[in-house]
Amino acid sequence: MRIEQESDGVSASTKHLVFAYYVTGHGFGHATRVTEVVRHLIHAGHDVHVVTGAPDFVFTTEIQSPRLFIRKVLLDCGAVQADALTVDRLASLSKYSETAVKPRAQILAQESEWLNSVKADLVVSDVVPVACRAAADAGIRSVCVTNFSWDFIYAEYVMAAGLHHRSIVWEIAEDYSHCEFLIRLPGYCPMPAFRDIIDVPLVVRRLHKSAKEVRKELGVTDDVKLVILNFGGQPSGLKLKEEFLPPGWLCLVCGASKSDDLPPNFMKLAKDAYTPDIIAASDCMLGKIGYGTVSEALAYKCPFVFVRRDYFNEEPFLRNMLENYQCGVEMIRRDLLTGHWRPYLERAISLKPSYEAGINGGEVAARILQETALGKNYASDKLSGARRLRDAIVLGYQLQRASGRDITIPEWYATAEDQLGHSTPVSPVDDGSFALSPDFENFDILHGDVQGLPDTMAFLRSLSELEEKHTRRERKAAASLFNWQEDIFVTRAPGRLDVMGGIADYSGSLVLQMPIKEACHVALQRIHPSKHRLWKHAEARQNDKGGNPTAVLQIVSFGSELSNRGPTFDMDLSDFMEEDKPITYEKAKKYFAQDPSQKWAAYVAGTILVLMTELGVQFEDSISMLVSSAVPEGKGVSSSASVEVASMSAIAAAHGLDISPRELAILCQKVENHIVGAPCGVMDQMASACGEANKLLAMVCQPAEIVGLVDIPSHIRFWGIDSGIRHSVGGADYGSVRIGTFMGMKMIKTKAFKELSKSCAANGLNYDEVEQDDLELLKQEASLDYLCNLPPHRFEALYAKSLPECIVGETFLEQHKNHNDPVTIIDHNRTYGVKAPTTHPIYENFRVKTFKALLSSASSTYQLTSLGELLYQCHYSYSACGLGSDGTDRLVHLVQELQHSAESKSEGGTLYGGKITGGGSGGTVCVIGRNCLKSSEHIFEVQQRYKKATGYLPFIFEGSSPGAGKFGYLRIHRRATSKKGNTGEDDAAVTLENSS
């Protein structure tokens, strides 16, 4: 339901009402918009009690009335920020737990009693969860007014927190479910917790003074360009310098402390300065995105130069609204910190903001609240919940269930009417259509073959359409990326399904990996710096350095709109050099970690540094890259490896580097281990680079020896089923298990050395008197390079009983000094599991060898049953290590149910086994079954049962495709007879002004 502006104000009510208005403790934006709604309620003759932790002046500056009562209570903490641009996810969850979870019973009793004491007619929340539950306990109706809810924001934080604070999101969602309906503001996030929605215009504070009056009071003449530096009332933390601003500009600084010494072209604003007036009088604004800044920038047509915050999920929706109305210019954090502001400010003042919709949301919301308090009921939109659920899942709203609790998605969430279907999600570039004319549109293919791959055809078509106008920022950026008079190289690398081996790869195990149908494509152009079409801020940066054009890397990543990462990245390739040598990997890691919204670029740009460091490659030309991946992130199917392999393959092809697929995979692992900082093994990159369609890549990870490609028998089929629980090899659980494994190997080697020394000492070093074979075995075990080289029987006979279940990091280091793993660091204070992580790879290596042998045995039910049993054993071994999850356990249990069902037996068997894959702790389950129609039906039945139990419809991976080595590369060239592309000097004006 949408209510637009339609009245001259909130009519005075014949009945005096009392409103209790709860305001979140996150930022001034919530308090300022609440002020606008409250002002209208008080004007209509009602009392309003504001429950808040915000300063009084935020409300009293705008409202001087005895009907306003301010009660200073903080009932939620919002997102804890380390600085103006950095959200601390774990601290946010911990703070919320301290603020609203531990004292919950006391809060509910206190608020319920207080609400009855003030005789509140309606509780309004922006957007304090516990207020809705307290209102229900007090028997009072409640309404929320917001553009986001904390269950959506915190859901991603829970993924990073591992096992901690999982129940917080559920509790918040349940609290919101007591709310009668939601008054939803523009720029909203998915909010599945609310069943009934009323959309209103922007809630914006009114202006008190004209722009001319404001400038006169500030002493600023009309010829001066004004920019307001606004980080939501927080100090920016910047060391401001005079040269940050172009000549003739003045910057008004919000939140500056009295002790700050500002340059002459910067001016402090008073703490209680009325920012709407100043924003309306400014030529543009520079700061971070929040509802308050965005709404006022749109309402008063003030172009907004914004810098992304990390880990705040409200931001993409507000950002899209800014850009949709031509009111936003994105500045990369590096340029903010270094003072490279000029190209962004100049771009901003050239914009013509076009927002013409209503800005009287405060009045409209107040009228709805008054009518609700008087007893009016608003109709339900039954389909809205399903639509929001679909959007939420697409955007990564995937909640983890609390371990050990038989609680699933609440009923209002699970019974959404819309079905997501069984289709494979397509790459963002193909829009669901794969048709491509035989001549590949406007390109000649000078080298290579598309091999009939529909996703590659779609990617080529997307390239041919890049000269057309686009509204999405990533498409605008891509349209200005290439010089169409030069050749472009295209590569493709698939994700992989971990059939067997998983986390045993870093212990040297045999692994079996299948490349999946979903893949990453990269289009790359190598071009002389004098011909490179730079984005304007990159061009300005080069001009500031003076001299001749130098090599620049520019990257566009499709799919950024579905996440909070920047769609583009650029850097001078000289940044990778320190004097005459490449910078260290550690320095590169810090370089990419500066801006979390651009950390993704480490997977792509990091391949260049690895080639420079390991192979001595020199890059003198500029490089432009377009990355488009259909491999879903966070599902344990190697999305990162596919990006790395496709990127390095494209760079190698364009520069004529002869790198074998195996060598390329090992180089890509260095990117992930040393530049990204994820402690993964090499099997992901090997499968993506060396795999072949419909075959299992068999590899011994010592470090990466391919022992063959195993044909998948025609009667056997593999599927992947996504649990919906986000997986990350960078996560704490994966890293701690790896550390425990290396600890166990160090203990085994230490014990073997002691046993060897004892044997030699006891026999006076006379080797003839000692069992020579035993000594040789002990020698090997004392110098063990890979844990998987220890056979299970030797492990059980000599070492298993001596390993502790767990050990504190400090204790281990005191006893053994180090664990000899170059990609992980032991935390002195953490307790690590040892026995289970050590046992897993030793037995997993044996299981994988057995699995490989069974694949080539005679077809029989015994063969399938044995293969399935090995998968089950692997799955439960993961759980023993601490890498299980409720979602993957549920999927494996559903496979077991169908395997042993009467229907399956009547068909001669369908599904035979399943296991968690990759790094564990969520992600995808691999299922083995008979290759028949009934098995596929059972897979879809697993999908539907899982959705019924959890509310999440799993994605199904099925099918295979060639690895990057088998695909090779395409060299393409746009035909001269095609439509005019963006070429030549005349196109300088269309280059991307704001690349993020």
Side-chain angles (χ1 to χ4, degrees):
M1 179 186 297
R2 176 174 290 279
I3 297 182
E4 300 288 356
Q5 46 190 346
E6 56 185 37
S7 73
D8 296 326
V10 182
S11 59
S13 171
T14 56
K15 182 179 179 181
H16 171 259
L17 300 170
V18 177
F19 294 87
Y21 212 133
Y22 288 79
V23 188
T24 183
H26 181 79
F28 278 9
H30 297 268
T32 55
R33 72 188 184 196
V34 165
T35 298
E36 185 62 16
V37 179
V38 169
R39 184 174 67 83
H40 285 285
L41 289 172
I42 289 176
H43 181 73
H46 307 303
D47 287 355
V48 182
H49 294 260
V50 175
V51 184
T52 181
D56 289 8
F57 76 83
V58 179
F59 304 94
T60 56
T61 299
E62 184 68 2
I63 305 170
Q64 295 86 36
S65 170
R67 293 188 180 278
L68 172 65
F69 303 89
I70 299 177
R71 177 169 167 251
K72 299 307 284 292
V73 179
L74 184 65
L75 298 178
D76 80 36
C77 61
V80 175
Q81 296 190 203
D83 56 45
L85 293 173
T86 306
V87 173
D88 188 327
R89 295 176 291 177
L90 301 186
S92 298
L93 292 172
S94 295
K95 183 69 173 177
Y96 186 86
S97 181
E98 292 293 329
T99 304
V101 177
K102 291 181 180 178
R104 179 178 174 81
Q106 179 184 345
I107 289 172
L108 289 173
Q110 167 189 294
E111 295 309 303
S112 182
E113 180 182 353
W114 176 78
L115 287 170
N116 284 317
S117 72
V118 299
K119 299 180 179 177
D121 294 290
L122 186 69
V123 171
V124 189
S125 178
D126 184 354
V127 62
V128 181
V130 74
C132 303
R133 173 59 188 272
D137 289 353
I140 303 169
R141 300 165 76 188
S142 64
V143 175
C144 283
V145 184
T146 187
N147 65 304
F148 75 83
S149 55
W150 287 115
D151 53 334
F152 180 77
I153 302 299
Y154 285 160
E156 193 272 335
Y157 299 0
V158 169
M159 304 304 171
L163 298 174
H164 304 291
H165 304 304
R166 288 185 178 182
S167 61
I168 284 179
V169 176
W170 290 118
E171 190 170 86
I172 292 173
E174 290 290 357
D175 282 348
Y176 285 145
S177 71
H178 292 287
C179 165
E180 188 154 319
F181 61 87
L182 166 68
I183 296 177
R184 187 168 62 180
L185 306 180
Y188 58 83
C189 303
M191 291 183 277
F194 299 100
R195 290 162 288 183
D196 300 312
I197 307 294
I198 300 176
D199 287 303
V200 299
L202 281 175
V203 175
V204 183
R205 289 179 290 177
R206 60 180 177 167
L207 296 181
H208 292 168
K209 300 174 183 176
S210 68
K212 190 172 183 179
E213 290 173 315
V214 172
R215 281 179 168 258
K216 184 177 180 181
E217 288 182 3
L218 293 171
V220 179
T221 57
D222 292 342
D223 61 330
V224 173
K225 295 292 183 186
L226 269 186
V227 55
I228 176 172
L229 186 66
N230 186 359
F231 282 87
Q234 291 181 306
S236 65
L238 297 171
K239 294 182 180 179
L240 300 170
K241 298 179 182 179
E242 186 173 353
E243 58 267 27
F244 284 12
L245 298 176
W249 282 73
L250 175 67
C251 182
L252 307 174
V253 183
C254 297
S257 67
K258 293 181 180 180
S259 60
D260 286 345
D261 187 17
L262 299 184
N265 50 353
F266 288 80
M267 178 188 296
K268 297 177 187 176
L269 288 173
K271 182 180 179 182
D272 58 352
Y274 192 63
T275 51
D277 286 348
I278 298 170
I279 290 172
S282 298
D283 294 282
C284 65
M285 177 162 52
L286 170 58
K288 67 178 181 182
I289 285 180
Y291 179 86
T293 50
V294 168
S295 62
E296 286 164 3
L298 289 169
Y300 304 122
K301 294 183 169 54
C302 178
F304 190 175
V305 180
F306 61 87
V307 183
R308 291 186 190 225
R309 281 183 290 177
D310 55 310
Y311 310 126
F312 199 74
N313 299 333
E314 171 197 23
E315 186 172 283
F317 305 92
L318 294 172
R319 184 177 73 238
N320 290 342
M321 188 165 66
L322 269 180
E323 292 168 349
N324 184 55
Y325 292 108
Q326 283 115 62
C327 196
V329 175
E330 183 173 338
M331 176 187 284
I332 60 178
R333 189 176 300 192
R334 183 171 72 245
D335 286 343
L336 172 75
L337 299 175
T338 59
H340 190 66
W341 295 6
R342 179 173 57 82
Y344 301 96
L345 299 178
E346 291 176 350
R347 168 58 181 158
I349 61 175
S350 73
L351 295 178
K352 296 180 180 178
S354 61
Y355 187 80
E356 300 294 345
I359 60 173
N360 67 331
E363 171 194 329
V364 175
R367 186 174 70 250
I368 297 169
L369 294 174
Q370 175 180 278
E371 292 171 348
T372 302
L374 291 170
K376 181 173 180 178
N377 289 315
Y378 283 87
S380 232
D381 177 359
K382 292 182 180 179
L383 294 178
S384 64
R387 286 199 299 269
R388 288 195 306 281
L389 174 60
R390 179 197 61 207
D391 293 343
I393 289 174
V394 168
L395 290 158
Y397 186 88
Q398 301 160 348
L399 304 184
Q400 298 189 39
R401 294 172 56 253
S403 179
R405 295 173 60 196
D406 190 20
I407 179 173
T408 58
I409 301 283
E411 183 182 358
W412 44 262
Y413 191 94
T415 56
E417 298 174 16
D418 212 22
Q419 294 296 319
L420 300 182
H422 310 313
S423 60
T424 299
V426 294
S427 166
V429 303
D430 58 38
D431 300 324
S433 172
F434 290 116
L436 190 71
S437 59
D439 62 358
F440 302 106
E441 297 288 348
N442 299 324
F443 290 112
D444 288 319
I445 297 182
L446 306 179
H447 176 275
D449 182 3
V450 298
Q451 301 181 26
L453 293 164
D455 58 344
T456 302
M457 298 179 194
F459 182 72
L460 290 178
R461 187 181 67 240
S462 74
L463 288 178
S464 73
E465 296 171 349
L466 281 181
E467 77 274 15
E468 298 175 6
K469 291 184 177 180
H470 296 283
T471 57
R472 286 165 58 184
R473 284 195 61 249
E474 59 187 33
R475 297 303 179 91
K476 289 182 181 180
S480 65
L481 189 62
F482 298 119
N483 184 327
W484 296 114
Q485 296 176 334
E486 305 290 335
D487 290 355
I488 295 174
F489 293 81
V490 175
T491 53
R492 178 189 186 279
R496 65 93 186 95
L497 180 65
D498 167 34
V499 175
M500 284 293 284
I503 58 168
D505 61 344
Y506 55 70
S507 297
S509 177
L510 174 69
V511 297
L512 296 173
Q513 308 294 304
M514 184 182 80
I516 58 176
K517 182 173 62 177
E518 293 73 23
C520 172
H521 286 85
V522 169
L524 180 145
Q525 187 172 76
R526 173 188 177 187
I527 194 164
H528 191 274
S530 63
K531 295 182 180 181
H532 196 198
R533 304 180 64 250
L534 294 175
W535 295 322
K536 286 195 172 180
H537 74 272
E539 183 180 16
R541 187 173 65 235
Q542 283 224 340
N543 291 339
D544 289 344
K545 293 181 179 179
N548 297 323
T550 57
V552 173
L553 171 66
Q554 296 186 151
I555 309 171
V556 175
S557 171
F558 278 169
S560 63
E561 300 304 323
L562 300 183
S563 69
N564 200 18
R565 68 172 186 264
T568 62
F569 172 84
D570 68 276
M571 64 179 289
D572 297 337
L573 285 176
S574 60
D575 290 350
F576 275 152
M577 297 296 293
E578 197 167 55
E579 296 179 351
D580 60 344
K581 294 181 179 179
I583 63 174
T584 65
Y585 290 150
E586 187 60 32
K587 287 185 178 179
K589 183 179 176 182
K590 292 178 180 177
Y591 179 92
F592 289 109
Q594 293 177 94
D595 187 347
S597 72
Q598 293 196 317
K599 190 175 179 180
W600 61 266
Y603 295 97
V604 183
T607 60
I608 293 176
L609 180 61
V610 167
L611 290 172
M612 294 168 67
T613 303
E614 306 298 330
L615 302 185
V617 181
Q618 296 182 349
F619 294 93
E620 297 177 352
D621 287 340
S622 288
I623 299 172
S624 294
M625 301 177 73
L626 173 62
V627 181
S628 176
S629 181
V631 184
E633 297 178 26
K635 300 191 184 301
V637 289
S638 298
S639 58
S640 59
S642 65
V643 170
E644 292 156 356
V645 170
S647 298
M648 189 174 286
S649 296
I651 294 166
H655 291 81
L657 304 177
D658 185 14
I659 306 175
S660 70
R662 176 186 178 277
E663 184 183 6
L664 186 137
I666 294 172
L667 291 170
C668 287
Q669 185 198 16
K670 291 181 182 295
V671 176
E672 188 135 4
N673 284 172
H674 303 301
I675 300 178
V676 176
C680 70
V682 74
M683 73 175 189
D684 298 357
Q685 291 81 6
M686 287 291 289
S688 185
C690 307
E692 292 188 18
N694 300 309
K695 295 182 180 181
L696 300 181
L697 179 74
M699 179 182 71
V700 175
C701 303
Q702 300 188 17
E705 308 305 324
I706 297 174
V707 295
L709 290 159
V710 182
D711 288 322
I712 300 173
S714 59
H715 66 286
I716 291 176
R717 190 170 183 181
F718 296 101
W719 294 266
I721 308 179
D722 167 40
S723 68
I725 298 175
R726 189 174 180 85
H727 148 86
S728 171
V729 295
D733 294 339
Y734 175 90
S736 65
V737 170
R738 176 170 176 148
I739 289 171
T741 304
F742 276 85
M743 284 178 166
M745 185 169 75
K746 185 66 176 279
M747 292 176 181
I748 287 171
K749 292 171 68 174
T750 301
K751 182 173 176 58
F753 181 78
K754 289 179 180 178
E755 291 297 322
L756 181 63
S757 300
K758 285 180 184 178
S759 298
C760 294
N763 292 276
L765 297 179
N766 184 352
Y767 280 67
D768 293 335
E769 297 178 16
V770 181
E771 184 63 47
Q772 192 64 34
D773 290 341
D774 283 347
L775 284 175
E776 286 302 318
L777 285 173
L778 286 171
K779 283 181 183 178
Q780 294 172 17
E781 289 155 8
S783 59
L784 202 61
D785 288 331
Y786 294 96
L787 186 57
C788 286
N789 290 338
L790 181 66
H793 72 276
R794 288 288 294 178
F795 173 70
E796 292 294 345
L798 292 178
Y799 306 109
K801 293 179 181 178
S802 65
L803 290 179
E805 293 292 333
C806 56
I807 193 170
V808 176
E810 185 176 25
T811 303
F812 174 85
L813 292 172
E814 289 173 354
Q815 296 174 358
H816 300 279
K817 294 186 179 180
N818 61 64
H819 67 322
N820 295 327
D821 181 14
V823 299
T824 58
I825 298 174
I826 295 174
D827 183 339
H828 284 64
N829 299 317
R830 183 164 185 173
T831 300
Y832 295 93
V834 174
K835 189 166 187 177
T838 305
T839 304
H840 173 82
I842 294 170
Y843 279 91
E844 181 71 357
N845 186 42
F846 176 79
R847 285 189 289 262
V848 181
K849 289 178 178 178
T850 306
F851 193 95
K852 179 175 178 288
L854 278 169
L855 282 173
S856 59
S857 67
S859 172
S860 66
T861 300
Y862 172 80
Q863 177 204 32
L864 283 162
T865 302
S866 299
L867 289 168
E869 179 61 29
L870 291 170
L871 261 64
Y872 286 139
Q873 289 180 19
C874 172
H875 178 80
Y876 293 112
S877 184
Y878 261 79
S879 296
C881 291
L883 292 176
S885 75
D886 290 349
T888 50
D889 285 348
R890 184 182 290 273
L891 284 170
V892 170
H893 181 69
L894 289 171
V895 169
Q896 289 174 346
E897 284 185 346
L898 286 169
Q899 175 187 356
H900 300 297
S901 67
E903 184 181 11
S904 176
K905 291 176 180 177
S906 69
E907 294 286 335
T910 54
L911 306 182
Y912 287 90
K915 62 175 276 285
I916 195 171
T917 63
S921 296
T924 294
V925 164
C926 173
V927 178
I928 188 172
R930 193 183 298 279
N931 188 12
C932 64
L933 179 61
K934 182 56 70 173
S935 295
S936 295
E937 291 176 0
H938 278 179
I939 288 291
F940 288 125
E941 188 170 341
V942 169
Q943 181 190 48
Q944 293 302 319
R945 288 188 185 184
Y946 189 80
K947 180 180 183 296
K948 184 177 181 181
T950 67
Y952 177 78
L953 186 71
F955 177 71
I956 296 175
F957 296 95
E958 51 184 335
S960 183
S961 67
K966 198 70 175 177
F967 179 84
Y969 69 89
L970 306 178
R971 182 163 64 90
I972 61 176
H973 192 92
R974 184 183 289 279
R975 293 174 182 165
T977 56
S978 68
K979 295 183 288 184
K980 181 185 181 294
N982 294 329
T983 59
E985 295 298 325
D986 294 339
D987 293 317
V990 301
T991 54
L992 183 70
E993 297 85 1
N994 51 314
S995 93
S996 121

